[in-house]
Amino acid sequence: MDERGIGQLIRLANAPGALLARMAALATVPFLVVAFFAMRNRETTFSWILFGVACVFAAAVAFFAWRRARLAALVDEAELRVAGQSTGAGELTRPEQESIENRVTGHLNRLQEFDEERRLRRDTWLPRVEATQRALVRAAGGVEKAPYLRDDLRVTLIALGLTVAAIPVGSLGTFLALLHLLG
């Protein structure tokens, strides 16, 4: 797997990520607005809790949307850089022509290095995710060739989880804040 393959995988997840961010925003923004008005109307502990939860989820959705857009821009930039190195026939230029055996051996060696790096676990939070990201960076040839792997994937995954949770939480929270505002 090279930097183009990893970029294509990220591009594949781009459209569902954009849809998820929009759906979560549609659920979170009304929750934030209604919770704000409920807090202004009747200052109770419950209204402050609703507003705090709305703020946390709105921040998570905004962060995920920003991180997703940044990731898409970095993938586009990397693809333009790789496309600039291609010949008129659409094949990447190589300083020397390699035989098929050498190319297959090189790919197998990189796959083995990827697996070795992935198996190395450090004493950190979400160690498997961190190990997989290190392995992807190594397989891509470093962050210079794949700048979209520079950001910490663990933070993005936590933002993704909160964004997924923001849809039901935002819907329920809007309902509860409306009840508190009217009641």
Side-chain angles (χ1 to χ4, degrees):
M1 181 174 293
D2 59 0
E3 68 270 11
R4 285 178 42 194
I6 297 168
Q8 289 169 351
L9 285 175
I10 291 172
R11 179 163 306 290
L12 184 65
N14 192 24
L19 181 65
L20 174 66
R22 285 186 184 107
M23 287 176 49
L26 284 174
T28 306
V29 169
F31 178 31
L32 184 64
V33 170
V34 174
F36 175 75
F37 285 122
M39 182 190 64
R40 280 191 63 202
N41 191 28
R42 295 175 48 198
E43 272 196 44
T44 62
T45 305
F46 184 67
S47 65
W48 277 98
I49 290 171
L50 284 174
F51 184 67
V53 169
C55 287
V56 167
F57 280 99
V61 169
F63 178 77
F64 176 74
W66 171 76
R67 188 61 80 95
R68 189 208 59 78
R70 183 168 186 256
L71 187 63
L74 287 172
V75 168
D76 290 342
E77 177 184 314
E79 284 180 352
L80 286 175
R81 183 181 45 78
V82 169
Q85 298 172 354
S86 65
T87 63
E91 297 209 12
L92 292 178
T93 57
R94 295 187 184 274
E96 69 279 341
Q97 286 293 338
E98 296 179 90
S99 68
I100 296 218
E101 293 99 20
N102 289 344
R103 288 172 58 188
V104 169
T105 303
H107 286 299
L108 288 175
N109 287 340
R110 281 203 312 205
L111 189 59
Q112 186 176 11
E113 289 173 2
F114 171 84
D115 192 49
E116 289 171 4
E117 191 74 35
R118 185 186 57 81
R119 290 176 190 267
L120 250 166
R121 300 279 185 338
R122 294 183 182 162
D123 189 23
T124 183
W125 59 287
L126 296 175
R128 290 182 181 182
V129 175
E130 191 264 344
T132 302
Q133 183 173 6
R134 274 189 293 109
L136 286 171
V137 168
R138 188 168 179 179
V143 291
E144 299 80 26
K145 290 186 176 182
Y148 43 83
L149 292 173
R150 184 174 293 134
D151 293 335
D152 194 352
L153 187 59
R154 297 171 293 179
V155 176
T156 305
L157 286 176
I158 289 172
L160 170 67
L162 287 173
T163 301
V164 168
I167 296 170
V169 169
S171 301
L172 178 65
T174 302
F175 178 71
L176 290 174
L178 276 172
L179 285 178
H180 185 73
L181 181 65
L182 299 175

